[in-house]
Amino acid sequence: MGLTPVERAAHYAARSPHFAKVTSKHLAYFQSVLSKPCSTSQRKGNMLTDTEAVAPFNVDWMGQVQGATPAVLMPTCTTHVSEILKYCQAEKLAVVPQSGNTGLVYGSGPVHDELVLSTRLMNAAPVVSKNTMSVVAESGVVLQQCQEACAEEGLLFPLMMGSKGSAMIGGNVSTNAGGIHFARYGSMHSNVLGVELVTAKGDVLNMMSTLRKDNAGYDLKHLFIGSEGTLGVVIRTAIKLYPQPTSKQLAMFRLKDFESVLELYHLANSHLAECLSAFEVMDGESIATSPAKDVPYERTCKNDVFRLGKDFAAAYFCALVETNGGNEEHDFDKLSRFAEAAQARLGDKLSGGGQYEPILSQSAAQSEQLWALREGVPVHLASHGLIYKYDVSFPIDKFYSIVEHTREILYRQCKMNPDEVIVVGYGHFGDGNVHLNVVDLTRTHGDQLDAALYPAVYKYCAAHGGSISAEHGVGLQKRDYLHLSRTKEAIQLMVDLKTVMDPNGILNPYKVLPLE
Amino acid sequence: MGLTPVERAAHYAARSPHFAKVTSKHLAYFQSVLSKPCSTSQRKGNMLTDTEAVAPFNVDWMGQVQGATPAVLMPTCTTHVSEILKYCQAEKLAVVPQSGNTGLVYGSGPVHDELVLSTRLMNAAPVVSKNTMSVVAESGVVLQQCQEACAEEGLLFPLMMGSKGSAMIGGNVSTNAGGIHFARYGSMHSNVLGVELVTAKGDVLNMMSTLRKDNAGYDLKHLFIGSEGTLGVVIRTAIKLYPQPTSKQLAMFRLKDFESVLELYHLANSHLAECLSAFEVMDGESIATSPAKDVPYERTCKNDVFRLGKDFAAAYFCALVETNGGNEEHDFDKLSRFAEAAQARLGDKLSGGGQYEPILSQSAAQSEQLWALREGVPVHLASHGLIYKYDVSFPIDKFYSIVEHTREILYRQCKMNPDEVIVVGYGHFGDGNVHLNVVDLTRTHGDQLDAALYPAVYKYCAAHGGSISAEHGVGLQKRDYLHLSRTKEAIQLMVDLKTVMDPNGILNPYKVLPLE
């Protein structure tokens, strides 16, 4: 769509006449609430109304959708948020909660003139408890800051992802963030022990707890985890921690075809068992764009990149296999035996003729380099052209089929040129979470790609047991495709819950659920 | 309370006049629904109305609460359940879903004349997928049967508990069952991948999936997991599996005091790390009642049993530490180093003077014997007298304080005789899940115990960061104590959700939520 970010916002939804316009009376009220110091930290809140100051809060991370908020409200405590939301519910003022604003589905910014409720000032230092192996963090705490606070106490924070330097705990919880250690440590549904939040009606729900087992009534916290700020605003969260691994091992494998990736994964599960912590896969095309100089395999990729095989099979795959464990000797032994078993089982499917031997990382620096290759993929791809990103999931045996199907559509059906539009797949294999990326190298095929891929990609997911959103959520971007992954009855129940919990629909409107 | 099971039911709640009485017209309708064969298995459902046939469905496992259902409905498929619940909602007929009926909070039986909807005939063989590492099981499948089906494919079902031979998957999901491997593999919220269920309105919610990552809209399944059959009836569930451990190691330690248990636990976490699979604790009093002959420590317990220390500290504790891993050599090495570290750190707190050396199990038979000691505790205790069981949880450093507090109440405040009433604590230490058991050896102190312990025990939990229900749920038994563990606002939201999802309140009435 050749739309500006403002036009794109309007394209997703017209402003609902149901919401009131923010007036100076409203702003004066917010100012009076936020000027009261927080009862614990004594810190006052803040409100931004200056056009320049609010600008970064108006647009998403990718610069695709831009709203026009009249004010950014920056509370410092539960009381602030409760008073703000009670008032907004009564006055029918729309509000979008925002923490790190690193989301990829346009879920955390205003679409029109919603107020932004930023969690940034709720960022007291995280409190780590060694006894209960948990951390309590406010919603404005940056993920990396939280990870580091836990590491200082010898404990591991279970979430790790590329945006760690900007993403915040509130958003991580509200979007059920996944990341690279999901297969080992599980989702936010598995790791959140307790939460304090404010509902869309302004009620305080104090469900703080560091208990592991607690079956006293409906476990309401799960309703808010992953509901993308449409039902409530998370204030602080208690999250389960794990023993900090004292040994991290990393290996990289080059594989000839997808069947070998699947076989390698099953071997990894049986040989590495409890210490397997990540199994990431990239097709050769993903890493061909990398500017990395010293990464094995990479330099020869250029020759392979467009030599797609029969039915658009990838030229080859790279698998990055990580272990996290408590004993270096044991883990290295397991990894070595795994690599031997892989070579015995996969033969030349693995080695590709001798020059692509598996790499068992010999140092932290080498591991960092291999991880940088993986984490750099989305960045490098974006630098080559206009990027279309799809975050979808499949049963693992169908992980790569969406990439081949997309090539089929673009190259065969639409007769597009692989020199101008590249289609790559990479992602968290252990979770079936494939990141399908389409890069328009010439930046001229936008309309054609829109027509060819929406909703074809999502329809393919739905038809093959996949999900239209693996880890990024629905937001504005996938709202109109939700029905492909969820039944009519399930969506109706979501709408019923939203209605009972947010009668005026003020919290994060236009997002996630179908427009009326 | 010197009440009969029928009186006890009435004591918890009077029959609500809001519900219709079951008539022959209703029974004829149910018969017509259940006589239609299931579309997939072609199996017809069944209906029991004969007094003798329905008797076992009327009473809980402990024989404490007895209802009087007019009929047990035994559907074989989703369509049956949907038609039944649509009709019951329209006709205002109360229904209690029941699977294995092994619960301990009177949650799965009728209180008055509710219809019983038994899942027993929904018991097709579980379907295990090695590729997606998941199993799909119907609600009437017995837990052990499901475990065995997974083990045959080399995969581990994450739930393990004493009632495995009778408990069923539907109940496990609906009550968010915990068990002994909870600390390693997590709760049902962590392990359920997808579910098909029928809501209280009779709507079919097909949320079946074996995807690991799926953030498409609100994750509704969590609302049903642990809601004890008050919001819907689970038909089938897809559950995450793990690599079957090829190495299981077990060690037992005898410790002088609770502080040493806590220290041992932290040592276990750092030494055993990712292969730690259970850390169970029993006080000496718990195992003193065991008839086991060849279990170390046990024979000398008799002498210690009532020698409670200062402030009613236990005479000693036993810790059972299990590892599940993928390499026997590695795991045994880790366990040995852990045992050495424990001896070095804890000294005579651990060995108790030489005759109570840590035991590293040398064979599967010995491991089985040690586990039998732990699993036998509730059974042996019950055989000694009238038993009062409390399933509560605490932050782990307060795990044992509820046992000492209860002794304080009974022995010091109420001047009861430790020869007549014993108070013991055991449970899943890693989860903070303590099973407080009070045994009235003479079966004559019922009224005094009721007065002394209800609600004192639950109040103590609430005041010390604990939960009134760790893993058994709320049911009928803890309904009136829910407010001690949950805030007014949280309970109100539970009631709001129940109202919107079950307008006539027909599903599992009188349970979990406060009576109006």
Side-chain angles (χ1 to χ4, degrees), chain A residues 99-146:
Chain A
S99 59
N101 199 18
T102 60
L104 296 172
V105 291
Y106 323 140
S108 56
V111 183
H112 296 289
D113 58 346
E114 301 96 294
L115 291 157
V116 172
L117 194 160
S118 168
T119 65
R120 281 175 186 263
L121 295 188
M122 300 195 286
N123 62 349
V127 178
V128 180
S129 161
K130 289 185 86 159
N131 246 346
T132 61
M133 288 181 72
S134 64
V135 60
V136 174
E138 291 189 341
S139 285
V141 170
V142 172
L143 172 55
Q144 187 166 7
Q145 182 195 348
C146 194

Side-chain angles (χ1 to χ4, degrees), chain A residues 58-329:
Chain A
N58 264 326
V59 66
D60 72 293
W61 183 80
M62 296 192 297
Q64 294 293 302
V65 168
Q66 185 172 337
T69 189
V72 177
L73 312 178
M74 307 180 90
T76 55
C77 65
T78 308
T79 309
H80 287 167
V81 178
S82 173
E83 290 183 7
I84 289 168
L85 291 182
K86 277 203 169 109
Y87 184 78
C88 290
Q89 190 68 242
E91 297 282 324
K92 299 194 179 174
L93 292 168
V95 184
V96 52
Q98 185 179 104
S99 59
N101 199 18
T102 60
L104 296 172
V105 291
Y106 323 140
S108 56
V111 183
H112 296 289
D113 58 346
E114 301 96 294
L115 291 157
V116 172
L117 194 160
S118 168
T119 65
R120 281 175 186 263
L121 295 188
M122 300 195 286
N123 62 349
V127 178
V128 180
S129 161
K130 289 185 86 159
N131 246 346
T132 61
M133 288 181 72
S134 64
V135 60
V136 174
E138 291 189 341
S139 285
V141 170
V142 172
L143 172 55
Q144 187 166 7
Q145 182 195 348
C146 194
Q147 292 169 336
E148 287 169 0
C150 299
E152 271 174 35
E153 298 291 336
L155 294 166
L156 179 80
F157 190 81
L159 178 67
M160 169 54 101
M161 55 189 199
S163 58
K164 61 183 183 290
S166 310
M168 292 172 184
I169 300 299
N172 297 157
V173 172
S174 299
T175 62
N176 186 33
I180 57 171
H181 285 153
F182 180 96
R184 169 73 174 269
Y185 301 105
S187 72
M188 282 289 156
H189 289 287
S190 305
N191 289 311
V192 169
L193 298 172
V195 67
E196 179 176 334
L197 56 85
V198 178
T199 68
K201 289 179 180 173
D203 292 333
V204 177
L205 279 188
N206 186 343
M207 305 184 288
M208 276 310 284
S209 167
T210 58
L211 295 174
R212 302 290 165 134
K213 268 185 179 168
D214 187 358
N215 273 345
Y218 305 167
D219 201 345
L220 298 173
K221 64 176 179 281
H222 295 289
L223 207 47
F224 298 90
I225 297 170
S227 62
E228 305 184 41
T230 62
L231 298 176
V233 175
V234 171
I235 306 293
R236 61 174 59 79
T237 310
I239 296 172
K240 201 195 280 187
L241 301 177
Y242 296 81
Q244 182 79 25
T246 53
S247 150
K248 292 191 188 196
Q249 309 289 337
L250 195 65
M252 189 175 256
F253 298 83
R254 186 188 198 274
L255 299 130
K256 271 198 172 165
D257 53 31
F258 180 73
E259 287 63 39
S260 308
V261 173
L262 196 57
E263 203 154 346
L264 187 75
Y265 177 68
H266 286 307
L267 280 176
N269 262 306
S270 65
H271 281 267
L272 304 174
E274 69 277 9
C275 72
L276 180 62
S277 57
F279 193 105
E280 297 283 310
V281 167
M282 300 161 274
D283 61 10
E285 291 73 9
S286 298
I287 44 176
T289 59
S290 167
K293 287 287 166 286
D294 302 321
V295 175
Y297 312 155
E298 195 277 322
R299 278 161 296 176
T300 53
C301 292
K302 296 287 185 202
N303 304 325
D304 294 335
V305 63
F306 299 128
R307 267 201 245 130
L308 297 175
K310 188 173 168 290
D311 296 329
F312 308 109
Y316 67 92
F317 293 88
C318 279
L320 197 60
V321 184
E322 190 198 62
T323 63
N324 274 359
N327 183 305
E328 188 145 20
E329 198 185 317

